[in-house]
Amino acid sequence: MTVAGEESRSVQPPPRLPIPDFRRWQDVLGLAEDAPVEIVDAVRHPLPVRTATCPPWRPPRPLQPDGIEVMFTPGAQVECYDRKLRQSVHTAGQLRLPSGGLIAADPSSLDLGTKPFSVTVPPGSYPVSVSLATFVDDPRHSRVTAARLEVADRPAVRWALALRDGQEPLDLGYREFFGFGVDAGMACFVDADSIDRMKDVWRTLGGLVEPRYRTIGSGDMVAWSSGWGDGAYPTWIGYDTKGAVTCFVADMLLFSTDDEDEDGM
């Protein structure tokens, strides 16, 4: 047809393709207009077959918090790599947050422009507890499961990934997360206004082999050894029934999952 008032041009309707009858699969394949194709038996055929242990696609669902309550249940047992570990919870001390801006990071990276989480808390001091997992068959061997900064003494009914400015959850793929990287085998909580004074403290911590955690100074930093060692770790924010922040939990991802082949960010 010709559109009035415009330069004469012809508009062609899209071609209408025939609708093959049910079970006429060869007719459907013929619409591809590619190389010749054929239908073969699904079980017995000479065509090459490629197998994989993982599905070719996964939904873009980021990592979700798992078992946080168990991490902070004294005496709870968790199986990991065919061995049993028993949880214990320890008071690390009070963390001073003069600005209310919390940072979770490798203490050796505080001079690299580390930013606080976008969710802040009122300035003050907050108790920090550390969860340790001890091998039942080797009581001398323990690892840090998580560290929790308690904002309010109320149970969390919802968890969300702690984000920094500019981080968008929609950018995350399957089981990915925004977290903090660890290269020195240690992690810490510190206030955004304290990082300049604390940036060299990590050199004095000795890797936090024993004890596994420590409060620095008068509460300027709480540091702990990071799970199995170096890697990337998420921090979760707990919210109560009214949507108020109850705690921050740095998850050391100590326990294996059913998706070990997927890496986090």
Side-chain angles (χ1 to χ4, degrees):
M1 68 179 179
T2 300
V3 180
E6 298 182 2
E7 182 181 349
S8 178
R9 58 188 177 89
S10 176
V11 180
Q12 300 294 331
R16 293 185 177 276
L17 300 176
I19 301 177
D21 294 332
F22 184 66
R23 293 187 182 276
R24 299 283 300 230
W25 313 127
Q26 195 68 44
D27 293 345
V28 176
L29 295 175
L31 299 176
E33 298 183 354
D34 289 325
V37 294
E38 63 175 310
I39 297 177
V40 299
D41 186 275
V43 178
R44 297 179 296 275
H45 58 78
L47 302 178
V49 176
R50 184 176 63 181
T51 61
T53 58
C54 302
W57 177 86
R58 292 186 186 273
R61 185 172 185 263
L63 182 72
Q64 302 297 307
D66 183 29
I68 295 180
E69 291 78 9
V70 175
M71 296 178 190
F72 291 93
T73 301
Q77 289 195 16
V78 180
E79 189 166 316
C80 182
Y81 301 114
D82 297 325
R83 298 176 68 185
K84 290 184 178 181
L85 296 94
R86 182 178 293 110
Q87 299 292 140
S88 58
V89 182
H90 307 263
T91 300
Q94 296 280 324
L95 177 69
R96 295 176 58 250
L97 294 178
S99 75
L102 177 65
I103 288 175
D106 180 332
S108 71
S109 68
L110 296 181
D111 59 346
L112 301 179
T114 305
K115 297 180 180 180
F117 297 123
S118 56
V119 173
T120 61
V121 298
S125 295
Y126 296 90
V128 176
S129 56
V130 172
S131 171
L132 290 181
T134 301
F135 285 93
V136 174
D137 60 358
D138 185 6
R140 295 174 299 176
H141 185 184
S142 64
R143 298 280 177 164
V144 174
T145 307
R148 178 179 63 192
L149 181 140
E150 185 175 296
V151 179
D153 187 16
R154 295 188 298 273
V157 298
R158 178 175 66 88
W159 298 95
L161 182 64
L163 302 172
R164 299 177 177 85
D165 288 344
Q167 294 179 335
E168 175 53 62
L170 291 177
D171 294 332
L172 297 174
Y174 182 75
R175 290 188 61 81
E176 292 180 340
F177 58 86
F178 291 112
F180 60 92
V182 169
D183 292 317
M186 297 178 289
C188 74
F189 282 149
V190 65
D191 185 83
D193 284 355
S194 302
I195 57 176
D196 286 340
R197 292 184 290 106
M198 295 288 105
K199 63 183 180 181
D200 292 322
V201 169
W202 68 277
R203 302 178 187 276
T204 68
L205 299 179
L208 292 174
V209 177
E210 185 62 41
R212 288 289 187 182
Y213 58 90
R214 187 182 305 175
T215 298
I216 311 302
S218 58
D220 295 316
M221 173 191 288
V222 175
W224 62 89
S225 59
S226 54
W228 298 116
D230 297 344
Y233 302 100
T235 300
W236 308 105
I237 303 177
Y239 294 89
D240 64 14
T241 55
K242 296 182 178 180
V245 174
T246 65
C247 63
F248 290 77
V249 175
D251 185 354
M252 296 295 98
L253 301 178
L254 194 66
F255 305 117
S256 60
T257 68
D258 56 357
D259 291 288
E260 288 292 323
D261 56 295
E262 299 292 336
D263 294 326
M265 290 182 66

